Amino acid sequence: MELDDIYRRDLNLLIALRVLIEEETVSKAAQRLSLSQSAMSRVLGRLRVLLDDPLFTRQGQRLIPTQKALEFNQSLTQPLENIRDILSPQEFVPQECNQKFTIATTDYAMQTILPFALPRIYQEAPNIRLELIPLQHQHLKEQLTTQGADMAICRPTYSVDPLKKEHLGKVGVFCLLSPNHPLANAELTLEDYLTANHAMIAISDGVKALIDQALSGYPEPKWLLRAYHLEAALAMLETVPLIITVPADLAYLVAKRYNLLIKKTPFDLTPFDYSLIWHSRCDQSSAQQWLRGVLKQECGKLIAERIEVMGIE
């Protein structure tokens, strides 16, 4: 039977069959289903037509189900339990969750934000699976709508309506220099910045566009290297004096790890917003709500701490 054929049937009649078998009388079944006795009798008549069987015989006031009615009732057990589960509010228990979640994220967020949330995520829900996929800025809506991503962590570069969005925090921009750089012990001026050699890292998630906007009207800085990984620029620092301009908390992490210097940009650059974004199809899922809540708390807390440490306003 096709779905459209099933749709045209009154499936409430199958619930009535279960109730009639359990109550054994028309009157008690009618009372339980808030029907009159005559209405319940009509329901029984329609059931007999639907299932093409007498379904019951009488023994005094009791209804004795036929063998076929018992078989129908047995077949209904699992589907009715499934329907009951679907319609009953379910309390989400992270420890029991074994779902897979797909998060689209920038390289920057994957290296500097998400790792700090993962320990809590897996502590609360040790059986979940996370798939982190590259975020495609120009196809973000498609990734969240039709391509299977549950949520995204990024700096939106355009309106994401009608997607849902929650602010995680502001991210500033700093410069990284080797201790051996000629400007290491000097205050970084705008003239220094414009005449120095630079590396552009794709991980910086749109930082170049912000720099270009801030330096509109000035000569373009000397970009010697554009790469997808920070390691390429780091490998050059000892032989080529470079300035690497990256998001502030990435600068914070890299400077500690590689003994580099952090300097503020010698021009005004407004910190940019990082956000958690998802499609409305995921809005009411208790599992998704839990994961978004953990990400917001942990990532937002991390960004706020770094803003305080690095003095970003």
Side-chain angles (χ1 to χ4, degrees):
M1 182 180 292
E2 298 296 331
L3 284 176
D4 52 338
D5 293 324
I6 297 174
Y7 177 77
R8 286 189 284 270
R9 306 299 176 97
D10 186 355
L11 299 184
N12 283 335
L13 294 174
L14 299 177
I15 307 297
L17 175 63
R18 168 63 61 90
V19 173
L20 281 163
I21 290 176
E22 290 178 353
E23 298 297 339
E24 297 185 333
T25 70
V26 170
S27 59
K28 288 183 179 179
Q31 185 177 14
R32 183 168 162 187
L33 295 177
S34 301
L35 297 173
S36 66
Q37 187 163 335
S38 59
M40 193 69 222
S41 295
R42 289 193 294 272
V43 167
L44 177 55
R46 290 163 60 198
L47 259 172
R48 285 167 168 159
V49 173
L50 176 66
L51 300 178
D52 192 26
D53 187 79
L55 299 177
F56 297 95
T57 58
R58 287 193 175 276
Q59 183 175 321
Q61 295 297 316
R62 291 180 58 210
L63 293 176
I64 307 300
T66 64
Q67 183 59 37
K68 205 166 185 182
L70 293 174
E71 292 171 1
F72 287 138
N73 186 50
Q74 181 63 34
S75 298
L76 285 172
T77 298
Q78 191 57 54
L80 290 180
E81 286 304 312
N82 292 342
I83 292 172
R84 195 195 307 271
D85 288 343
I86 291 172
L87 298 179
S88 299
Q90 298 292 315
E91 180 182 355
F92 177 71
V93 181
Q95 286 282 340
E96 298 175 0
C97 182
N98 58 5
Q99 293 186 35
K100 174 187 172 185
F101 300 93
T102 301
I103 303 175
T105 178
T106 60
D107 285 345
Y108 159 69
M110 193 179 300
Q111 290 196 33
T112 66
I113 298 177
L114 265 174
F116 294 87
L118 293 179
R120 178 180 163 192
I121 289 172
Y122 281 101
Q123 181 181 24
E124 292 187 13
N127 299 313
I128 68 164
R129 291 165 293 149
L130 290 181
E131 181 176 2
L132 308 180
I133 63 174
L135 182 132
Q136 302 171 26
H137 276 288
Q138 299 308 313
H139 302 285
L140 175 60
K141 292 182 181 179
E142 290 84 353
Q143 281 188 290
L144 294 174
T145 303
T146 60
Q147 295 178 9
D150 297 303
M151 60 195 73
I153 299 177
C154 65
R155 177 180 74 86
T157 55
Y158 57 90
S159 172
V160 297
D161 291 340
L163 298 174
K164 306 279 188 174
K165 180 174 72 173
E166 193 150 15
H167 181 63
L168 293 177
K170 289 188 177 295
V171 176
V173 173
F174 278 170
C175 299
L176 284 173
L177 289 79
S178 164
N180 300 320
H181 195 286
L183 299 171
N185 299 315
E187 181 179 348
L188 188 61
T189 67
L190 179 57
E191 183 180 359
D192 291 334
Y193 190 90
L194 293 173
T195 57
N197 295 324
H198 293 264
M200 178 63 213
I201 311 301
I203 195 174
S204 58
D205 193 27
V207 167
K208 185 177 185 300
L210 295 174
I211 294 172
D212 290 345
Q213 183 179 3
L215 296 179
S216 177
Y218 292 94
E220 183 178 14
K222 297 167 60 178
W223 302 101
L224 293 191
L225 173 70
R226 180 178 175 86
Y228 283 98
H229 296 286
L230 187 60
E231 284 76 7
L234 295 176
M236 296 172 60
L237 284 180
E238 293 303 318
T239 55
V240 181
L242 287 175
I243 293 177
I244 310 173
T245 308
V246 292
D249 44 0
L250 178 59
Y252 177 74
L253 289 176
V254 172
K256 289 178 63 177
R257 187 177 303 164
Y258 294 96
N259 191 32
L260 301 178
L261 301 176
I262 294 178
K263 291 184 180 290
K264 291 186 177 181
T265 56
F267 49 84
D268 292 332
L269 196 154
T270 304
F272 52 88
D273 292 331
Y274 240 72
S275 297
L276 181 62
I277 303 170
W278 67 95
H279 191 272
S280 56
R281 67 182 174 82
C282 301
D283 204 31
Q284 298 303 315
S285 163
S286 55
Q288 299 267 356
Q289 289 173 345
W290 164 78
L291 182 56
R292 290 198 302 267
V294 173
L295 287 172
K296 178 172 173 53
Q297 289 175 23
E298 294 302 310
C299 296
K301 180 173 63 176
L302 179 71
I303 291 174
E305 287 174 354
R306 289 179 179 168
I307 286 175
E308 183 177 355
V309 169
M310 292 178 284
I312 302 169
E313 298 179 355

